[in-house]
Amino acid sequence: MPRTGSTAGPTLAVVAREAGVSVPTASKVVNGRDDVAPETRRRVTEVLDRLGYVRRRRGGPPKPHGMIDLVLASPLGGGAEGSAVLHGVERAAHTEGLEVVVSAGRHLGRDRLDRLAARGTAGVLFHGDAPSAAQRAWLARHRVPYVLVDPWGEPPRGAAWVGAADRGGGRAAAAHLLALGHERIAVLAAAAPGRAGTGWLAGWREAVTGAGLPERAAYVRRVGAGEPGPCGARLRTLDLLELPEPPTAVCVGSDAWVPGVYGALAERGLRVPDGMAVVGYGDLPEARWAVPGLTTVRRPVAEMAGAALALLARLAPGGAADGLPVELETELVVRSSTAPPGGSSPRAGSAGAGGQR
């Protein structure tokens, strides 16, 4: 038997008539079946969207189900960050008794959304990229809840999301260098605006100006989206070293850029941390592989993902999203890449972004 639309919307028979196909064919498109010609699928899909058809389960509205969908921003899993998201989601899913289906955001078209509803998902986690306006409308029509994990841009109004306290992270990075006696502290930030990078830069600025130091425009360098991160970081670090009064320390907006920073310093015969102290952001594997070990601010990616899944599990039965958004604290991890100006590095350890442990 074909599924029907909502009581306020068109039936599947109306959709079939408008698209010039049989009801069984329209039903195949609605349920994500593969045995439909591409042109026929396109025609039926256009009618579904135009008429606002809403799929219903037999017996009433959608019910909680033991499966959620995780949509990663990158088709390759997002590297180390994507792996951390997967780890956090899988661990939390085990606790909640849920199964996880993983897909890539750029491939989440109408056909995939239809299949997602057909198998009765309890909700969707979007990592990085927020769903498009069309995707949000589809989710609302089908009453499928969603939560954003570490959104890159400004989240849509009213969306539930879990991220990191990036402003506090940037503040902690600069404060660490100030405590070591540095007064000429530069920052490398992403050229493209993003929620995390904007917060990181604002935190750096608060710490520097809060210490009574002038904010030097020449010390703020942008790593462009059109160049690989490490390459851009190398070029911007070389620019900093050419200044009449180069900085003695730099806060780097991503651990992934640090190889470029280290490389630029080595080209100029400078050692880390004596020639320049370096603080990263993220606590990615690059931080532990770097020589010397990178002092950085840890973003709790796995914990963010786990918290997002737990939130989604509360939303799936129709519960309220109380206390949103959620921002988890960052943590300063001190290794060997920071020291007083011209001095030796302190003993490595950890400190929360809010203060020493």
Side-chain angles (χ1 to χ4, degrees):
M1 294 289 293
R3 301 176 187 267
T4 63
S6 67
T7 56
T11 65
L12 195 57
V14 171
V15 171
R17 183 173 65 250
E18 288 287 318
V21 300
S22 67
V23 171
T25 297
S27 178
K28 289 180 180 180
V29 174
V30 167
N31 290 293
R33 293 271 297 274
D34 293 327
D35 52 340
V36 179
E39 175 58 27
T40 301
R41 183 182 303 278
R42 182 195 62 77
R43 194 164 66 250
V44 173
T45 298
E46 287 181 354
V47 174
L48 290 169
D49 290 338
R50 175 163 56 83
L51 298 183
Y53 179 88
V54 178
R55 184 197 337 269
R56 293 183 59 193
R57 292 172 178 271
R58 290 191 185 92
K63 300 177 181 179
H65 194 273
M67 180 180 297
I68 64 100
D69 284 78
L70 169 62
V71 181
L72 289 173
S74 168
L76 300 179
E81 182 172 335
S83 296
V85 170
L86 281 170
H87 177 70
V89 167
E90 288 175 350
R91 185 170 56 191
H94 178 75
T95 300
E96 298 285 348
L98 297 169
E99 296 182 0
V100 181
V101 177
V102 182
S103 59
R106 68 182 62 180
H107 298 142
L108 198 67
R110 176 61 190 260
D111 288 353
R112 294 292 296 275
L113 286 170
D114 284 341
R115 293 179 189 178
L116 178 150
R119 55 177 158 74
T121 186
V124 187
L125 294 176
F126 289 91
H127 166 236
D129 286 327
S132 66
Q135 289 170 337
R136 296 197 302 273
W138 185 98
L139 292 165
R141 286 201 306 270
H142 290 79
R143 287 177 287 176
V144 176
Y146 73 92
V147 176
L148 309 181
V149 182
D150 196 16
W152 292 341
E154 191 64 28
R157 183 182 297 274
W161 60 273
V162 179
D166 297 294
R167 196 182 192 106
R171 190 165 50 241
H176 170 66
L177 294 168
L178 289 164
L180 291 174
H182 292 276
E183 295 185 351
R184 305 201 306 269
I185 304 171
V187 63
L188 299 184
R195 189 190 59 82
T198 299
W200 158 264
L201 183 58
W204 168 88
R205 183 174 287 116
E206 286 178 359
V208 170
T209 58
L213 299 175
E215 181 186 333
R216 307 190 191 197
Y219 282 3
V220 180
R221 298 288 169 154
R222 300 284 186 169
V223 177
E227 56 194 4
C231 178
R234 170 184 167 273
L235 295 174
R236 301 295 83 79
T237 303
L238 291 173
D239 292 340
L240 290 170
L241 295 174
E242 294 296 326
L243 294 173
E245 194 173 27
T248 61
V250 61
C251 295
V252 184
S254 171
D255 290 349
W257 302 347
V258 168
V261 177
Y262 277 20
L265 294 171
E267 289 179 40
R268 293 295 184 264
L270 298 174
R271 295 171 59 89
V272 179
D274 297 343
M276 184 179 289
V278 180
V279 179
Y281 198 48
D283 199 25
L284 302 177
E286 288 90 335
R288 296 180 287 277
W289 299 336
V291 179
L294 180 65
T295 294
T296 188
V297 176
R298 178 176 178 267
R299 301 184 78 246
V301 177
E303 290 86 343
M304 286 189 276
L309 184 136
L311 174 59
L312 184 64
R314 297 204 308 271
L315 293 177
D322 297 325
L324 300 177
V326 177
E327 288 191 333
L328 302 187
E329 290 298 321
T330 56
E331 178 187 19
L332 177 67
V333 181
V334 180
R335 297 190 177 97
S336 304
S337 66
T338 51
S344 57
S345 61
R347 185 174 63 182
S350 296
Q356 298 290 324
R357 284 187 169 183

